[in-house]
Amino acid sequence: MCFSAEASFAASAVLGVIGVTGLARGPAPAERPLAYIPLLFAAQQFVEGIIWVGLANGEDAVVAVFSHAYIFFAFFLWPIFVPLAALLIEPSARRKRVQEWLCAAGACAAVFIMGSLVRGPLAVEQTTGHLFYGLARPLRHEVVAVYFLAVSAPVASSYRWVRAFGLALVLGLAASLAHFSDDFVSLWCFAAALASGAIWLHLRERAGARSALGTLPAPILVP
């Protein structure tokens, strides 16, 4: 999370519990990528906690390795994985077409941003209660707009809690860009991590619906 090492590790633990309990409900195969999102956010928050510790202790090598891992989550994984997870569970053909375009947009934004990361250095600084990830991004506003579209894919879902998750992502990103344009990455990922609680509600609702129909799959083993 963006406020301190303790906050990041606490968020990681809470999201880990949410993710494990969501998976324990035995989601359908198509729902499993969505079900893994809280666990992936837990991993990302844990990574940022290590960055905080590394900065406090002056461990430049640790900061360099884990800051690249954090940026991989933020700029490569999420614009691809979020729209894909929404697409895989979508029953409406019309909505699927929209999400397919958003998946393609997210992949393009992810590749472009990660290409920029390869070409330039990544600087991480601690500002007032936040972490600033200094990444050179050509066509910054255009790429952020495409990124914004990609992570908004769940808004087009047929499922109410997935739509709620998508709306929270969009509002969190908009607020982060409006008020903290230079360090929106850390702030938005914090908001998105909190929003992933809606995924647990979706999995609970879908498990209840399958149980009522007598089609509840066997619980899966959580790794």
Side-chain angles (χ1 to χ4, degrees):
M1 209 187 307
C2 50
F3 304 118
S4 67
E6 293 80 7
S8 294
F9 291 133
S12 177
V14 171
L15 289 165
V17 171
I18 291 173
V20 169
T21 55
L23 282 170
R25 292 186 176 277
E31 293 175 330
R32 288 177 189 172
L34 187 73
Y36 275 108
I37 286 178
L39 288 175
L40 291 170
F41 271 122
Q44 185 182 18
Q45 296 308 311
F46 187 82
V47 164
E48 191 160 48
I50 295 176
I51 295 171
W52 276 103
V53 173
L55 287 171
N57 295 331
E59 298 173 343
D60 294 341
V62 171
V63 172
V65 170
F66 283 91
S67 61
H68 280 79
Y70 187 88
I71 290 298
F72 173 83
F73 275 100
F75 282 125
F76 188 82
L77 181 67
W78 294 132
I80 294 175
F81 198 83
V82 167
L84 180 61
L87 172 64
L88 289 174
I89 64 169
E90 182 53 52
S92 166
R94 178 175 58 85
R95 293 172 184 263
K96 271 183 177 291
R97 284 194 293 272
V98 173
Q99 291 169 351
E100 285 168 354
W101 280 104
L102 294 177
C103 280
C108 290
V111 170
F112 187 86
I113 294 172
M114 295 308 291
S116 301
L117 178 60
V118 171
R119 291 193 298 270
L122 173 62
V124 184
E125 299 176 8
Q126 180 179 341
T127 60
T128 306
H130 305 125
L131 292 182
F132 169 71
Y133 296 88
L135 172 63
R137 298 191 303 276
L139 303 176
R140 175 178 178 177
H141 297 295
E142 294 84 351
V143 172
V144 168
V146 176
Y147 182 100
F148 194 107
L149 285 173
V151 298
S152 71
V155 174
S157 177
S158 296
Y159 300 106
R160 60 172 181 164
W161 288 115
V162 179
R163 288 197 303 272
F165 170 60
L167 182 60
L169 294 184
V170 170
L171 292 177
L173 181 54
S176 299
L177 285 170
H179 298 289
F180 304 94
S181 59
D182 289 335
D183 50 3
F184 82 93
V185 177
S186 180
L187 290 159
W188 175 72
C189 287
F190 160 55
L194 294 181
S196 66
I199 293 173
W200 183 88
L201 294 171
H202 168 77
L203 296 173
R204 184 185 66 173
E205 186 173 84
R206 296 300 298 161
R210 288 192 297 268
S211 179
L213 294 172
T215 57
L216 185 65
I220 61 172
L221 296 177
V222 178

